[in-house]
Amino acid sequence: MSQVSPAASSAEIPMHGHPTAVLLRSFIIGLTAFLTVVDLFATQAILPSLTRAYGVTPAAMGFAVNASTMGMAIAGLGVAFFSHWIDRRLGVLISLALLAIPTALLASAPDLTTFTMLRITQGLFMASAFSLTLAHLGEQCSAMDAGGAFAAYITGNVASNLIGRLISAGVADHFGLAWNFYFFAALNLMGAGLVYFTISKTPPMEAISAPASSPLGALSAHLRNRALRAAFGIGFCILFAFIGTFTYVNFVLVREPLSLSRMELGFVYFVFLPSIATTLLAGALVNRFGNRVTLWSALAVAALGLPLLLSPNLPAVLTGMVLIAIGTFFAQATATGFVGHAAARDRGAASGIYLASYFSGGLVGSAVLGQLFDRFGWAACVAGIALALAVAAALAIRLTMPIVRLQSGETP
C-alpha cells in the first residue's frame, strides 16, 4: 500500500499535542460544522411566519422547510459512492460556496414548490460538505483523537441549532423574512473562507491507497456489517425524533396557552445551550463506558423529556426540550464517532451512508409526524417520537466494537 503525503497548501488543523493546539483544533472543527449546517434548522424558528406567508398548513410548511434533508440524504449517498476520488478540502470548499446560491434565492421564492426545491438544493450542498468533513476527520485523526474530533464537530452542529435559530428569529423580526436568507447566504461564504484557510489540502483517497473494491462493493460491504447497519438505523431514528420535536413544538409554543411571539420563540432555543457543553463529553464517555451504554444513557435522557412536552406550563415544556436536545445530540455524536471508527476502510463511504440514513430519518419524521400532528394532535406526535427513540435503543444492542481507553494524561 503506497502512501502519498498531502501537500499543505493552507494551515493544517492540529490533531495532537499541547492542550492549546487541541483546543484550537476543536474550535476550528466546531466552527466549520456551525457554518456548514447553520441553514438546516434555523428556518424552523420562523416556521409559523412562513406558514402564514405562504398560506399553508403546519404539516405542509414543516415538510417544505425540512425538505433539505431529502437533498442531504441524496448527497450523502453520492459522497459515499464517489468518496475515493474526491479531494476532501476542495469538495468542502466548493460545496459551501455553492450553498450560498439557493440560500439567497429563498428570499424571493414565489411559491411553496419553489421554496421546497431550493431547500432540497441547500441540502445537497450541506451534506456534501458535512460528509466530506467527517471523512476527513476519520482519516486524519488517530484513534485517540477521533472521539474528541467528532464530538467537537457535533458540538458545532448543536451551536448552529441555537445560534442559527436566534439569528433567524432576530433578523426576520427586525428586517423581514427576505433578509433572513441573505444573511445566511453570507454565513455560507464565510464557511468556505474558513475551510480555505484552515484545512490542509488532501489528495483523493485513490491517491492514498488503491480502493479495495468498487464503490458499489464498498457500499455493499458496509451494509453487510451488522454493527454499521445498526448505527445507520440509529441515525435514522435520532433525526426522526429530533425533527418531530423541534419542528412541530413551534406551533405548540405560539398557540394558546403558551402564546409566544416570534422573537420570544427565537429565545426559546437557548434550550440548546446545555447541549453545547454536554456533547463535548461524548468522546470521553464512549472511551470509558463503551458505545452501547453511552447511547442508551443519551436516549434515556431524551425520553425523560417527552412527557414534559405535553404540559401547559412553559418552564416544563422548556425543560423537556433541554433534555431532548441533550439526549439526541449526545446520541448523534456517539453514533457518528462509532461509524467513523468502526469502518475499517472506505470511511468516506461509511460516513455517506450514515448521513443518508440520518437525513432520511429527518425527511420521514417530518412527513409522518406532521400528519400525526395535523390529524391527531401534539400528543400523537410525541408518541411517534417515543417510538423512534425506543427503536434506536433496541438497535444499540448491536454496537459492538473494542473499547479504546485513554491513557493517563491523554486528551480525547
Side-chain angles (χ1 to χ4, degrees):
M1 182 186 299
S2 61
Q3 296 286 334
V4 178
S5 299
S9 64
S10 57
E12 182 175 4
I13 297 177
M15 291 291 176
H16 314 280
H18 193 275
T20 302
V22 174
L23 184 62
L24 176 61
R25 176 210 59 185
S26 296
F27 174 76
I28 293 172
I29 291 172
L31 185 57
T32 302
F34 173 86
L35 293 170
T36 299
V37 295
V38 69
D39 303 89
L40 182 57
F41 296 118
T43 312
Q44 290 183 349
I46 54 173
L47 254 176
S49 298
L50 288 170
T51 301
R52 291 191 296 271
Y54 284 96
V56 295
T57 66
M61 197 69 238
F63 182 83
V65 164
N66 292 314
S68 53
T69 57
M70 182 187 301
M72 298 189 89
I74 294 169
L77 287 177
V79 170
F81 195 89
F82 296 108
S83 175
H84 277 292
W85 296 280
I86 300 175
D87 180 297
R88 306 300 189 231
R89 175 177 176 265
L90 182 62
V92 176
L93 182 63
I94 292 174
S95 296
L96 290 176
L98 292 178
L99 174 58
I101 298 173
T103 304
L105 290 176
L106 281 167
S108 55
D111 52 49
L112 194 63
T113 300
T114 305
F115 187 98
T116 303
M117 296 306 297
L118 288 171
R119 286 292 286 172
I120 292 172
T121 306
Q122 276 189 306
L124 289 170
F125 295 127
M126 277 189 278
S128 297
F130 198 97
S131 301
L132 291 171
T133 304
L134 289 180
H136 175 78
L137 294 178
E139 292 153 5
Q140 300 298 316
C141 294
S142 68
M144 291 296 102
D145 287 320
F150 283 114
Y153 196 73
I154 302 305
T155 300
N157 189 337
V158 178
S160 75
N161 275 267
L162 166 60
I163 300 172
R165 282 177 165 93
L166 288 173
I167 292 172
S168 185
V171 173
D173 196 45
H174 288 87
F175 302 103
L177 291 173
W179 278 101
N180 169 76
F181 297 110
Y182 293 138
F183 187 89
F184 281 97
L187 290 181
N188 299 151
L189 294 176
M190 287 177 59
L194 178 69
V195 168
Y196 180 82
F197 288 109
T198 60
I199 295 182
S200 295
K201 182 176 180 181
T202 55
M205 283 301 293
E206 186 181 35
I208 297 176
S209 60
S213 59
S214 67
L216 284 177
L219 296 179
S220 177
H222 290 319
L223 292 174
R224 288 196 304 270
N225 185 312
R226 187 169 178 261
L228 284 176
R229 274 202 319 270
F232 301 151
I234 289 167
F236 180 97
C237 293
I238 290 171
L239 196 59
F240 186 105
F242 182 88
I243 285 283
T245 301
F246 292 101
T247 296
Y248 298 107
V249 74
N250 291 283
F251 297 101
V252 175
L253 291 169
V254 298
R255 71 188 185 192
E256 295 288 346
L258 301 176
S259 304
L260 300 186
S261 69
R262 183 161 60 187
M263 197 63 227
E264 288 171 335
L265 186 61
F267 283 116
V268 157
Y269 287 97
F270 275 107
V271 296
F272 290 119
L273 195 58
S275 303
I276 296 175
T278 58
T279 304
L280 282 171
L281 302 174
L285 292 184
V286 167
N287 283 341
R288 183 174 179 84
F289 299 109
N291 293 285
R292 285 184 294 183
V293 172
T294 302
L295 191 66
W296 281 330
S297 301
L299 294 172
V301 169
L304 286 174
L306 292 179
L308 299 175
L309 297 181
L310 302 175
S311 171
N313 180 267
L314 182 60
V317 174
L318 295 180
T319 301
M321 293 171 70
V322 168
L323 293 174
I324 293 167
I326 290 173
T328 53
F329 277 116
F330 210 98
Q332 187 199 359
T334 304
T336 303
F338 178 85
V339 171
H341 196 48
R345 59 174 67 245
D346 298 309
R347 283 174 173 158
S351 294
I353 298 171
Y354 174 81
L355 289 174
S357 302
Y358 178 74
F359 292 115
S360 294
L363 183 66
V364 174
S366 175
V368 171
L369 296 172
Q371 290 302 312
L372 288 176
F373 183 82
D374 275 356
R375 294 170 184 270
F376 305 106
W378 180 229
C381 188
V382 172
I385 296 166
L387 179 61
L389 295 177
V391 172
L395 289 172
I397 295 172
R398 299 182 180 181
L399 297 189
T400 54
M401 190 176 71
I403 301 173
V404 179
R405 298 191 180 278
L406 297 177
Q407 301 298 317
S408 176
E410 290 185 318
T411 303

